[in-house]
Amino acid sequence: MEIMKAITIKPGVKNSIEMRDAPDPARGDDNVKVKVLRVGLCGTDADIYAGEYGEAPPGDDYLILGHENFGVVEETNGNSGLRRGDYVVSTVRRPCGKCLNCQQGEMDFCSSGDYTERGIKGRHGFMAEYYTESPEYLIHIPPALRDVAVLLEPTSIVEKGIDHIYLIQRRISWQPKRALVLGAGPVGLLAAAVLRVRGLETFVAGREPSTDLRAQVAKGLQASYLSVDGMAITDLPGKTGPLDIVIEATGVSSVVFGAMQILAPNGILCLLSVTGGTGVRPEPTDRINQDLVLGNNVVFGSVNANPRHFRKGVEDFQSLEKSYPGVLQKLITSRLPWHDYGQWFGQKRTGIKTTLEISTG
Amino acid sequence: MEIMKAITIKPGVKNSIEMRDAPDPARGDDNVKVKVLRVGLCGTDADIYAGEYGEAPPGDDYLILGHENFGVVEETNGNSGLRRGDYVVSTVRRPCGKCLNCQQGEMDFCSSGDYTERGIKGRHGFMAEYYTESPEYLIHIPPALRDVAVLLEPTSIVEKGIDHIYLIQRRISWQPKRALVLGAGPVGLLAAAVLRVRGLETFVAGREPSTDLRAQVAKGLQASYLSVDGMAITDLPGKTGPLDIVIEATGVSSVVFGAMQILAPNGILCLLSVTGGTGVRPEPTDRINQDLVLGNNVVFGSVNANPRHFRKGVEDFQSLEKSYPGVLQKLITSRLPWHDYGQWFGQKRTGIKTTLEISTG
């Protein structure tokens, strides 16, 4: 067995990180061997290092760290669509194989929770000299992007969020003009970049002063940087104008809940970050943010109705009268002659629905 | 001018309700005159009575109350599609005429805020002997539904919410099985009824004991009633199983925030109620609920990404390098030889993105 160097941790053991010898994976007939050129570091790596997260592959007591990756094809067969020397980035999550979503290639919506993730959960990552992978999970990178391709994995998180903003809003006529990104870390700045490609007027709010490199990156994207240290989130629309899209990339729950109050009518808030680990004991509000993000959950408010919803109601009433005859009628628990309106207004209300009977026709 | 009886309030004046004479509206060439048979009463009527809400039509100093309505056509011309004696329910909101949504007939997503609403905001309602209306806003009711049609307006609120649940979730493979309704008032029970028509296993959670009429209505719909007085919302999934859909119909913000923590993976929470008025000074959390509901806002969490989001990222990187050359590169603020991993793990992190350089190829 060949040996390679790798950076590993023992899952659940704080500060267990080490560079060690690990088996150099042999390429199987159906996969590709990739030489790793570079990995990016992110908060999840820090959480795994802190022992808060991470799961070793079956049979191993260690996990090779690293999920933001960039490499070059070392060996492949003729069917992979890739050639030796091609640059690639590997995706991270692998399907559970049993839930509806994973079966349809939507492992990012795995509903069993039994997905695996390279460098995070049940599969080795990319802080190693080599890895092997099925070609379906390798993204071919044009050589012109070799210096920035290590940013592709965090960008994919942003791309999913923005994709789903538009997928969700197909439900209405919607022409978003203005977007705000909360947080100027890598995810926040990459979100600003993608929003600019989509043609939106873009604001980035961060704690750092306007002289910070983050502000320069925003400026380079023709986005506006707002230094918000000590400012209430709810004051932001006064500086930006109505916000059709807000992307939350801080994971700080007070920011998350502030963000729920700054949307324009028909606006949408995308939560991309969970509250960082490293010993922080989450507040109940942090837990709500975690639940929404990790569950791919949607919360939406709905007011009023369109004429088509009245027509659908007529149709459903007919179905209800057929399936559950007389039940709808039971909702009307009191029928007052309309001159007796004073028996309802200003009184303690009982029953389910009261009507005022105005005429018998 | 003919005179009719109507129940009116002076907007903003508590307890100003009275039955009074008002002009009997004359039918114009293009509209329909309807004799009102019955109106339903709801929390919005109580809020308007309490002076917290409500706006008179231009030129009047009073507002005819009532928006949940049922009536019979009294006079019409040949072009309305309706005949004298037809039962009708009128929709409530009228378009602002200037925003994109109203122009496309989606006045329930009015983004200017300048819509009007019969019986609520700038237009007289239905607590009167007669009203006139353009036929496009009148819903024809089959005679078999004459006893329950007064429930159609609150049902339309529910139909919109459930319609948008499914419109939003077209974004993924999604086969919901189980739904929970929080609140057993008219909106909650009507939501349970519509969910049952959609074939979902349905639970209704209310404060009332299981002997209450509300529980009987739920049972009549083959839905399960859960009496939850004193129970934590977050304990509910233990009694129901994984919840794909939750519909919030209490307007109590502690319930709203509890509901954000009980969704199954890929689950969706629809907020239908705002915190009732009658002198209650809203908490910040109430205000979040109000903002989300009245703004038709969406909040969603997003985790991980699909391979197509990596491919979209490659495409966007190419656009970014063209439009903002060199900016992406600026996000990588530190490139460490991988043997120096100890300079990042467990250290205070600075800069934007750090990479570990593993090989030069």
Side-chain angles (χ1 to χ4, degrees):
Chain A
M1 186 179 67
E2 301 285 320
I3 292 294
M4 67 174 181
K5 291 285 177 198
I7 296 175
T8 67
I9 56 101
K10 300 235 186 262
V13 183
K14 193 170 172 168
N15 208 353
S16 61
I17 198 166
E18 61 175 334
M19 183 174 273
R20 53 173 279 171
D21 290 338
D24 181 346
R27 186 179 72 80
D29 277 351
D30 295 332
N31 65 14
V32 178
K33 184 165 182 174
V34 179
K35 180 183 226 178
V36 181
L37 299 179
R38 179 181 293 134
V39 296
L41 296 166
C42 91
T44 301
D45 296 310
D47 292 348
I48 297 172
Y49 163 83
E52 295 176 359
Y53 216 75
E55 188 183 319
D60 282 339
D61 64 349
Y62 65 90
L63 174 71
I64 299 178
L65 260 182
H67 57 280
E68 300 183 1
N69 67 94
F70 174 62
V72 61
V73 172
E74 174 90 359
E75 292 173 23
T76 181
N77 66 23
N79 304 325
S80 70
L82 292 165
R83 293 190 302 181
R84 182 178 155 86
D86 281 349
Y87 292 118
V88 290
V89 166
S90 173
T91 68
V92 174
R93 190 178 284 195
R94 300 293 170 264
C96 74
K98 55 193 183 189
C99 82
L100 177 71
N101 294 286
C102 282
Q103 280 164 5
Q104 307 210 349
E106 297 177 350
M107 63 287 267
D108 53 323
F109 285 95
C110 177
S111 59
S112 74
D114 292 335
Y115 60 82
T116 54
E117 288 178 333
R118 293 202 72 147
I120 302 175
K121 182 172 181 281
R123 283 182 191 264
H124 287 309
F126 307 102
M127 290 188 197
E129 292 178 78
Y130 297 100
Y131 70 90
T132 60
E133 188 52 86
S134 166
E136 67 181 304
Y137 299 123
L138 294 175
I139 309 297
H140 191 174
I141 305 296
L145 297 178
R146 65 161 290 164
D147 290 341
V148 296
V150 73
L151 298 170
L152 184 59
E153 194 281 335
T155 301
S156 74
I157 305 299
V158 163
E159 293 285 0
K160 175 181 172 181
I162 294 174
D163 183 28
H164 280 272
I165 287 172
Y166 285 89
L167 287 173
I168 286 172
Q169 296 292 66
R170 286 180 307 176
R171 69 197 186 109
I172 52 172
S173 303
W174 194 62
Q175 295 175 346
K177 290 184 177 59
R178 197 176 290 107
L180 169 67
V181 180
L182 296 165
V187 169
L189 291 171
L190 290 168
V194 173
L195 291 165
R196 289 297 299 139
V197 173
R198 299 284 176 284
L200 289 148
E201 184 184 356
T202 303
F203 295 83
V204 179
R207 281 175 308 188
E208 294 77 14
S210 303
T211 50
D212 192 272
L213 183 58
R214 291 152 207 264
Q216 291 172 35
V217 170
K219 195 178 169 190
L221 295 165
Q222 295 174 18
S224 303
Y225 182 84
L226 299 167
S227 181
V228 295
D229 199 18
M231 186 193 295
I233 301 298
T234 46
D235 289 341
L236 279 168
K239 297 183 179 291
T240 60
L243 293 165
D244 303 306
I245 294 172
V246 177
I247 294 183
E248 208 295 314
T250 72
V252 177
S253 60
S254 60
V255 176
V256 170
F257 286 91
M260 292 185 189
Q261 300 174 70
I262 61 174
L263 294 165
N266 312 330
I268 184 162
L269 167 62
C270 172
L271 307 176
L272 288 184
S273 294
V274 295
T275 305
T278 325
V280 175
R281 197 143 298 285
E283 298 286 317
T285 50
D286 294 327
R287 225 168 268 134
I288 291 175
N289 182 42
Q290 275 180 16
D291 285 349
L292 295 179
V293 173
L294 298 180
N296 281 301
N297 290 156
V298 181
V299 177
F300 74 106
S302 177
V303 66
N304 192 256
N306 191 284
R308 81 171 186 275
H309 300 121
F310 285 77
R311 289 191 288 270
K312 186 70 182 162
V314 170
E315 199 183 295
D316 283 344
F317 278 5
Q318 291 173 316
S319 302
L320 285 162
E321 289 295 343
K322 202 171 159 191
S323 301
Y324 312 106
V327 175
L328 277 175
Q329 184 79 260
K330 281 194 180 174
L331 268 74
I332 303 172
T333 45
S334 176
R335 296 176 182 273
L336 291 175
W338 73 317
H339 290 86
D340 296 339
Y341 64 86
Q343 292 185 22
W344 189 86
F345 285 97
Q347 309 295 318
K348 184 166 160 50
R349 300 193 285 277
T350 56
I352 302 175
K353 174 63 76 184
T354 299
T355 60
L356 295 181
E357 303 291 314
I358 293 179
S359 168
T360 53
Chain B
M1 186 178 64
E2 300 286 319
I3 291 295
M4 67 173 180
K5 291 285 177 199
I7 297 175
T8 66
I9 56 101
K10 300 236 187 261
V13 182
K14 193 169 173 167
N15 209 354
S16 60
I17 198 166
E18 61 176 334
M19 183 174 274
R20 54 174 278 170
D21 290 337
D24 181 347
R27 186 179 72 82
D29 277 351
D30 295 332
N31 64 15
V32 179
K33 185 167 183 174
V34 178
K35 180 183 226 180
V36 181
L37 298 178
R38 180 180 294 132
V39 296
L41 296 166
C42 90
T44 301
D45 297 310
D47 292 347
I48 296 171
Y49 163 83
E52 296 177 358
Y53 215 75
E55 188 183 318
D60 282 340
D61 65 350
Y62 65 91
L63 173 72
I64 299 178
L65 260 182
H67 58 280
E68 300 184 1
N69 68 93
F70 175 61
V72 62
V73 172
E74 174 91 0
E75 291 173 24
T76 181
N77 66 22
N79 304 325
S80 70
L82 293 165
R83 292 190 304 181
R84 183 178 155 86
D86 281 349
Y87 293 119
V88 289
V89 166
S90 174
T91 67
V92 175
R93 190 178 282 195
R94 301 294 171 262
C96 73
K98 54 192 184 190
C99 83
L100 176 72
N101 295 286
C102 283
Q103 280 165 4
Q104 307 210 348
E106 296 177 350
M107 63 286 267
D108 53 323
F109 284 95
C110 176
S111 59
S112 74
D114 293 336
Y115 60 82
T116 55
E117 288 179 332
R118 292 203 72 145
I120 303 174
K121 182 170 181 283
R123 283 182 191 262
H124 286 310
F126 307 102
M127 289 188 196
E129 292 178 81
Y130 298 99
Y131 71 91
T132 60
E133 188 51 88
S134 166
E136 65 181 305
Y137 299 122
L138 294 175
I139 309 296
H140 190 174
I141 304 296
L145 297 178
R146 64 162 290 165
D147 291 340
V148 296
V150 73
L151 297 172
L152 185 57
E153 194 280 335
T155 301
S156 74
I157 305 299
V158 163
E159 293 284 0
K160 174 179 171 180
I162 293 173
D163 182 29
H164 280 272
I165 287 172
Y166 285 88
L167 287 174
I168 287 171
Q169 295 293 63
R170 286 180 307 177
R171 70 196 185 108
I172 52 172
S173 304
W174 194 63
Q175 294 175 347
K177 292 184 177 56
R178 196 176 291 109
L180 168 69
V181 180
L182 295 166
V187 168
L189 290 170
L190 290 168
V194 173
L195 291 166
R196 288 297 298 139
V197 174
R198 299 284 176 284
L200 289 148
E201 183 185 355
T202 303
F203 296 82
V204 180
R207 281 173 308 187
E208 294 76 15
S210 304
T211 51
D212 192 272
L213 183 57
R214 292 152 206 263
Q216 291 170 35
V217 170
K219 194 178 169 190
L221 295 165
Q222 294 173 19
S224 305
Y225 182 83
L226 299 167
S227 180
V228 294
D229 199 19
M231 187 193 294
I233 301 299
T234 45
D235 290 341
L236 280 167
K239 296 182 180 291
T240 60
L243 293 165
D244 303 306
I245 293 173
V246 177
I247 293 182
E248 207 297 313
T250 72
V252 177
S253 60
S254 59
V255 177
V256 170
F257 286 91
M260 292 185 190
Q261 299 174 71
I262 61 175
L263 295 165
N266 313 330
I268 183 162
L269 166 63
C270 172
L271 307 175
L272 288 183
S273 295
V274 295
T275 305
T278 323
V280 175
R281 197 144 297 285
E283 298 287 315
T285 49
D286 294 326
R287 223 167 271 137
I288 290 175
N289 184 40
Q290 276 180 16
D291 285 349
L292 294 179
V293 173
L294 299 179
N296 281 302
N297 291 156
V298 181
V299 177
F300 74 105
S302 177
V303 66
N304 193 254
N306 191 283
R308 80 171 186 276
H309 300 121
F310 284 77
R311 290 190 288 270
K312 187 69 181 161
V314 171
E315 199 183 295
D316 283 344
F317 278 5
Q318 291 173 317
S319 302
L320 285 162
E321 289 295 342
K322 201 171 158 190
S323 301
Y324 312 107
V327 175
L328 277 176
Q329 183 79 259
K330 281 192 180 174
L331 268 76
I332 304 173
T333 44
S334 175
R335 297 177 183 270
L336 291 176
W338 75 316
H339 290 87
D340 296 338
Y341 65 86
Q343 293 185 21
W344 188 86
F345 286 96
Q347 309 295 318
K348 185 168 162 48
R349 299 194 286 278
T350 57
I352 303 175
K353 174 63 77 184
T354 299
T355 60
L356 295 182
E357 303 291 313
I358 294 180
S359 167
T360 53

